[in-house]
Amino acid sequence: MLTRFLPPPGPARLITVITMVLTLGQGLWMAINAVYAVEMLHLTPTQLGISVSTAAALVLMCSTPLGHLADRAGPREVQMWSYVVATPLTVALVFVDSFVSYLVVTAVQAVAYRAGRSARKAMIAALIPAADRVRLLAYVRAASNASVSIGAGMAGLVLAVGTRPAYQGAVLFTAACFLVTGLLTLKEQHVPPVPAKPGFAFSVLRDRPFLLFTALDGLLTTHALLLDVVMPLWVLHHTGAPRWMSAVILILNTVLVVALQTRVARGADAPAAAAKASLQGAGFVTGACAVFALSSGTGTLTTCLLLLVGAVIHALGEIRQSAGSWGVAFSLASDDAQGQYQGTHAMGIDLGRMIAPAIFVWLVLEHGATGWIVLAAAFALLGTAMPAVVAWSLRKGAKDTEEPGRIAAAG
């Protein structure tokens, strides 16, 4: 059974197992975080929103420097200490007694978590051959979805019990997952730090093709919010489908990702192939939006069938697009700055997730099927732009490589 979800023994399997431990705690924490803050800590919804936004903004500002830290201090060490530090910060959530203390603890915890994730990408770039990185991340994503689902199931039990000790036990379990993740990191191979180079430290900020890719990919990956944020409201306000259909769609998505991610991710390692995978993924998402647009104003059975068909098409797009995203992000990054490149790439995804929810809800809830068509067109345009952006980056890289040679020949 494990071989269906885990890569062969070696660094790839260890990376996957470590990520599964981490996401087990995250699946539990994501499902209870809001309820714990409001019901147990007595924060108002506004205070919770401010805390979440503050943490997101802080992570956004720190993404590139945290990735740079992984390059300079060594990704294994940064990953280990990030999760070790996150452990007492999570335990502290049992003892916080005010909005300010909750805000400070969760903000610093979010920065530690991002540092660990950026370091993990740098570890993958250092330990895994280029031709195998996308396949590894496919294994990681499939296994993580399974692990998150288990954590969410545990959260359901906590919510059903609803007592303070049950919530506090869940918080401590999450902290334990951070600690085990940090300790397991010690079993990974050491990756030497990359020596600093003369000149501007954050070279990624001068790589215009990569920054453009980061922005476009960040917008394209917002398709995940269609199921998490938009679909429950769409089912409730614009269809005659039962309310539980949105939960069925999320479960179907998880099952398809776990079952198909490693297969669909194949062939997305080289830059051009990865860009094509992004385009294909965007095409599927475009089709899913069109199917969702048809689900309003039909009979209950027809609506449910259309929603399920759209969910399957969306899952195929999500799987293929994520493979393309990984392939491009790794292949366009400078080998001596993988940490800061992957941290910057994550920043684009964060920006997209901050901007998109309000726009998506406004488009779909206020404009119905027309809103879905607008989203379909937007995803199609984003996907179409990917091959051109990757081609620009490859031309720029070839030119930068030729310039030193010409100067040396002239000398």
Side-chain angles (χ1 to χ4, degrees), residues 27-301:
L28 171 60
W29 177 242
M30 288 186 296
I32 69 163
N33 178 24
V35 179
Y36 178 71
V38 173
E39 297 295 328
M40 296 295 116
L41 303 181
H42 307 296
L43 269 64
T44 66
T46 299
Q47 290 173 330
L48 175 61
I50 291 172
S51 300
V52 172
S53 298
T54 300
L58 190 60
V59 167
L60 196 66
M61 291 187 294
C62 294
S63 288
T64 300
L66 289 173
H68 181 68
L69 175 65
D71 292 327
R72 295 294 173 263
R76 189 185 73 166
E77 285 68 25
V78 170
Q79 178 174 301
M80 180 196 68
W81 283 110
S82 295
Y83 294 128
V84 168
V85 168
T87 301
L89 289 170
T90 306
V91 172
L93 291 171
V94 173
F95 304 101
V96 297
D97 57 0
S98 68
F99 162 57
V100 173
S101 59
Y102 179 84
L103 172 69
V104 172
V105 169
T106 54
V108 181
Q109 181 201 49
V111 172
Y113 180 72
R114 170 50 58 83
R117 294 205 50 179
S118 296
R120 185 192 67 172
K121 288 289 188 69
M123 286 284 289
I124 291 172
L127 298 179
I128 307 300
D132 297 329
R133 292 170 187 165
V134 171
R135 183 167 174 77
L136 166 60
L137 285 173
Y139 273 112
V140 166
R141 190 162 189 262
S144 296
N145 269 265
S147 188
V148 166
S149 298
I150 295 171
M154 295 169 62
L157 295 176
V158 173
L159 293 169
V161 174
T163 62
R164 178 175 290 273
Y167 281 106
Q168 291 177 336
V171 172
L172 295 177
F173 182 85
T174 303
C177 289
F178 278 130
L179 180 60
V180 173
T181 300
L183 295 178
L184 284 176
T185 300
L186 291 173
K187 295 178 67 66
E188 294 186 297
Q189 297 178 29
H190 172 68
V191 177
V194 179
K197 287 186 174 181
F200 187 56
F202 302 130
S203 57
V204 65
L205 300 181
R206 292 181 174 175
D207 190 336
R208 290 180 296 169
F210 189 86
L211 293 178
L212 179 57
F213 157 71
T214 294
L216 295 176
D217 191 62
L219 293 173
L220 185 52
T221 55
T222 59
H223 60 69
L225 300 172
L226 297 178
L227 302 189
D228 295 342
V229 178
V230 178
M231 187 53 62
L233 299 174
W234 173 256
V235 168
L236 184 63
H237 295 289
H238 282 270
T239 77
R243 296 185 177 191
W244 45 260
M245 271 303 296
S246 57
V248 171
I249 289 171
L250 286 173
I251 293 171
L252 176 61
N253 176 268
T254 301
V255 170
L256 290 173
V257 169
V258 172
L260 300 177
Q261 181 70 77
T262 54
R263 299 179 184 177
V264 178
R266 293 171 182 167
D269 300 289
K276 184 178 179 180
S278 290
L279 173 59
Q280 293 167 340
F284 278 113
V285 173
T286 297
C289 289
V291 173
F292 290 144
L294 299 173
S295 65
S296 179
T298 59
T300 301
L301 180 59

